[in-house]
Amino acid sequence: MRVRTDVEQRHDAAPESLHAAVARRLGVALEAVEGVEVVRRALDARAKRATPTWRLTVDVLLRSPPRRRRKGQTWSQVPPAPEPLRSPRMARDRPVVVVGAGPAGLFAAWHLAEHGARVLLLERGKPVETRARDFGRFRGRGELDPESNICFGEGGAGTYSDGKLYTRKKDPLIPEVLGRMVRCGAPARIGIDAKPHIGTNLLFRMLKGIRAELEALGVTLRFQTKVTGLRRVGGRVTGVRLSGGEILDAGAVVLAIGHSARDTFEALLEDGIPMEPKPFAVGVRAEHPQALIDAAQYGLPGAGQPVRDLRASPRPSTLPPADYRLAAQVEDDRGVWSFCMCPGGMIVPTSTEPDMVVVNGMSSARRSTPFANSGLVVHVGLEDLEREGHRGPLAGVSFQRSLEEAAFRAGGGGYFAPAMRAADLVSGRSAGRLAETHFRPGLTPVDLREVLPAFVSESLAAGLARFDHTLPGYASTDANLIAVESRTSSPIRIPRDHLHQVAETPGLFVAGEGPGYAGGIMSAAIDGLRTADGVLRST
């Protein structure tokens, strides 16, 4: 008999003690437990707990069923696996052109090819191997390649990130996405972690595995191929136009272009594709010693005290680097929150256009650096864009560019980023000094109130003051705030119907973050699968 139950274990419990804990939970003899499989795990490190504890959901193989239920004895039948996405097959006549090799584009191409479609996958950037060298030159020497960087290239913007794979959506396709990733080289633990992540180094391996799967299915991949427009016949999209003038025929086009394809947004708008601005968020990257976050989150000695040695953490080896998620409503009910937190990671330059500074965060699978970082961002509504003088469908793009240009000027060139200590922003006094940092090319001490609009800097200061009560030391002089974090999500939305086809534009489908329908690797991959299903059902 197989049953499912929940059980708790201290973080430092011996692995072999799990069977005994399960037997006690079910009220059976240890000999009755034939096997235990962990299907979900989450670390509970809330302050009220004396010791951080793993909360586990396990499937248990029993020699015989529990005789009776008693107090504290809870179990259920193992639920059936989620139904796969059942899509019709497509005749291999005119190809489906998928634009963008981020999560949405990769998973859309994958599903289409599995169901008989002839797929051409176009990516303006480079494969991960070459892309890594271009990123290294930018981070090390400030040499930006506008077509091969953290946002453009195989895997999209998520390739250089913490590789988070969780989403607030409870979508039945989550197991399918995770299973495909594991098959292509992702670690098996992502299937059970409540907060699964891969890390940039393992994302490289997984992306090569996905590329091999696509090629085996007959997908044609073309890198360094930039789409600059659409071809339409009688109102229907029948192909794409490339930067060199070549026109590619298509039975359908899927745009999975990512949140930073600004020139593509502009070209689509000129082509008459419907588009509207949408709210998003901007702010900074907060950089802290990981030891400070560990002490605050795990209630370790020294929590809230200045960090003297950034490389000496009191965290036990049985605990992972601590993460956090913070949110507050400040004056006028404006939201301030942490975004894309990277334990044991680094802040990286994320520019895609010359003379603009953008930052983001990433980490490896081991999360082993002595620093933690997170986006710390403020809600930007359409009324804010209007007040700041940005109008039209691309108002958000215009606003982002204005911030990134201001950050470049304040950094002094060379893609140095302007930065300020968290304590100084809260106090309203710029000391002109910074905490130790991991950021390259480098930081320039700046009063960020001169870089960011007042509604952003004031909201950040108010949010920091609140977060310091939640995580002692969060707004201390040990923390740097690095500007500007402006690519949290797409600032536009392209309206689409239930099949993910663009309104009044037959033959054109949109997926993922760029058109405004996803936020992160997992949600973009799911959206790619559902968009592919829409293409298959529309033909």
Side-chain angles (χ1 to χ4, degrees):
M1 177 182 184
R2 290 180 65 85
V3 300
R4 177 165 291 183
T5 191
D6 296 322
V7 67
E8 295 186 357
Q9 279 203 305
R10 287 171 52 111
H11 69 89
D12 52 0
E16 58 270 20
S17 68
L18 179 58
H19 279 59
V22 168
R24 288 193 299 273
R25 180 68 167 166
L26 294 176
V28 300
L30 179 59
E31 295 76 20
V33 179
E34 194 167 352
V36 178
E37 178 186 7
V38 177
V39 295
R40 183 177 173 81
R41 65 177 184 175
L43 186 64
D44 188 346
R46 290 173 291 185
K48 66 181 181 181
R49 285 188 172 274
T51 303
T53 301
W54 286 104
R55 299 171 64 89
L56 307 174
T57 299
V58 295
D59 287 351
V60 187
L61 179 61
L62 296 173
R63 298 182 188 279
S64 58
R67 292 181 180 178
R68 60 188 177 90
R69 294 179 188 259
R70 57 190 179 192
K71 187 176 181 180
Q73 178 188 355
T74 60
W75 54 271
S76 62
Q77 297 293 333
V78 175
E83 282 287 321
L85 191 60
R86 300 189 184 280
S87 304
R89 293 190 64 79
M90 173 183 278
R92 293 177 65 88
D93 45 14
R94 297 172 69 197
V96 177
V97 172
V98 179
V99 183
L106 290 170
F107 276 76
W110 200 344
H111 192 72
L112 286 163
E114 286 177 329
H115 288 77
R118 187 156 55 98
V119 181
L120 176 58
L121 177 58
L122 309 179
E123 168 55 48
R124 67 189 294 171
K126 300 178 183 179
V128 288
E129 304 91 334
T130 315
R131 183 183 180 192
R133 293 194 289 271
D134 294 333
F135 167 63
R137 281 193 295 272
F138 182 40
R139 185 169 183 262
R141 302 200 292 266
E143 297 175 3
L144 172 66
D145 183 340
E147 298 299 331
S148 180
N149 44 63
I150 282 189
C151 292
F152 300 149
E154 188 175 18
T159 302
Y160 289 94
S161 69
D162 188 52
K164 291 179 179 61
L165 300 176
Y166 47 93
T167 173
R168 295 181 183 180
K169 298 179 180 178
K170 295 183 182 296
D171 196 292
L173 292 182
I174 289 174
E176 178 175 345
V177 171
L178 293 174
R180 288 175 184 247
M181 289 178 170
V182 171
R183 195 164 82 227
C184 291
R189 60 174 166 74
I190 68 174
I192 64 172
D193 285 344
K195 296 180 178 180
H197 83 103
I198 298 181
T200 289
N201 54 327
L202 297 187
L203 277 166
F204 280 16
R205 183 178 73 187
M206 184 190 78
L207 286 168
K208 292 177 185 178
I210 292 176
R211 190 198 308 165
E213 287 270 349
L214 295 178
E215 290 174 338
L217 287 167
V219 175
T220 300
L221 290 90
R222 287 180 56 174
F223 293 102
Q224 296 181 266
T225 303
K226 184 175 178 179
V227 171
T228 57
L230 303 171
R231 183 180 71 176
R232 286 196 270 191
V233 176
R236 183 177 183 85
V237 172
T238 60
V240 296
R241 183 174 63 254
L242 306 184
S243 56
E246 183 182 2
I247 294 178
L248 301 177
D249 180 61
V253 173
V254 175
L255 294 177
I257 53 178
H259 59 42
S260 292
R262 294 167 170 173
D263 48 2
T264 309
F265 296 158
E266 292 165 347
L268 291 171
L269 191 61
E270 288 181 8
D271 272 352
I273 301 304
M275 195 176 300
E276 58 195 29
K278 76 171 186 62
F280 57 106
V282 300
V284 295
R285 272 272 147 183
E287 181 181 52
H288 294 82
Q290 183 64 50
L292 184 152
I293 303 301
D294 290 341
Q297 287 291 70
Y298 293 139
L300 302 174
Q305 301 301 311
V307 177
R308 304 299 182 189
D309 184 352
L310 300 182
R311 290 162 182 80
S313 172
R315 183 184 77 246
S317 61
T318 52
L319 288 174
D323 63 5
Y324 60 81
R325 189 171 69 187
L326 301 167
Q329 297 292 118
V330 296
E331 190 174 353
D332 296 328
D333 288 330
R334 189 179 297 277
V336 181
W337 64 92
S338 61
F339 170 81
C340 186
M341 197 271 157
C342 299
M346 65 180 72
I347 299 176
V348 290
T350 317
S351 306
T352 57
E353 296 173 280
D355 300 340
M356 299 186 194
V357 164
V358 192
V359 294
N360 201 350
M362 61 171 276
S363 59
S364 68
R366 293 179 60 195
R367 292 173 161 173
S368 56
T369 80
F371 291 92
N373 74 80
S374 173
L376 194 63
V377 297
V378 173
H379 174 78
V380 178
L382 301 185
E383 67 282 1
D384 298 313
L385 298 177
E386 179 80 20
R387 187 180 58 252
E388 295 291 325
H390 303 276
R391 299 172 179 83
L394 299 180
V397 171
S398 175
F399 180 61
Q400 287 176 330
R401 279 177 168 151
S402 69
L403 297 182
E404 295 163 16
E405 290 167 348
F408 182 83
R409 292 192 299 270
Y415 296 98
F416 276 49
M420 186 180 193
R421 294 185 306 189
D424 295 341
L425 184 62
V426 173
S427 70
R429 296 188 300 272
S430 178
R433 295 190 299 274
L434 297 174
E436 189 171 343
T437 183
H438 204 289
F439 182 78
R440 300 291 180 275
L443 299 180
T444 302
V446 169
D447 188 338
L448 292 182
R449 293 172 299 176
E450 300 174 0
V451 178
L452 302 170
F455 80 91
V456 175
S457 61
E458 291 169 4
S459 297
L460 286 174
L464 281 163
R466 299 229 195 138
F467 299 154
D468 197 63
H469 291 289
T470 305
L471 287 181
Y474 191 82
S476 69
T477 55
D478 284 314
N480 288 321
L481 305 177
I482 302 174
V484 59
E485 169 82 72
S486 55
R487 310 287 181 92
T488 56
S489 64
S490 180
I492 66 105
R493 176 167 283 122
I494 298 175
R496 68 184 187 185
D497 63 17
H498 67 288
L499 294 176
H500 296 193
Q501 190 165 220
V502 176
E504 301 179 2
T505 314
L508 180 64
F509 299 78
V510 292
E513 291 200 49
Y517 294 98
I521 295 172
M522 175 58 71
S523 61
I526 291 170
D527 202 61
L529 290 175
R530 295 203 180 280
T531 302
D533 180 68
V535 175
L536 294 165
R537 292 185 185 281
S538 71
T539 56

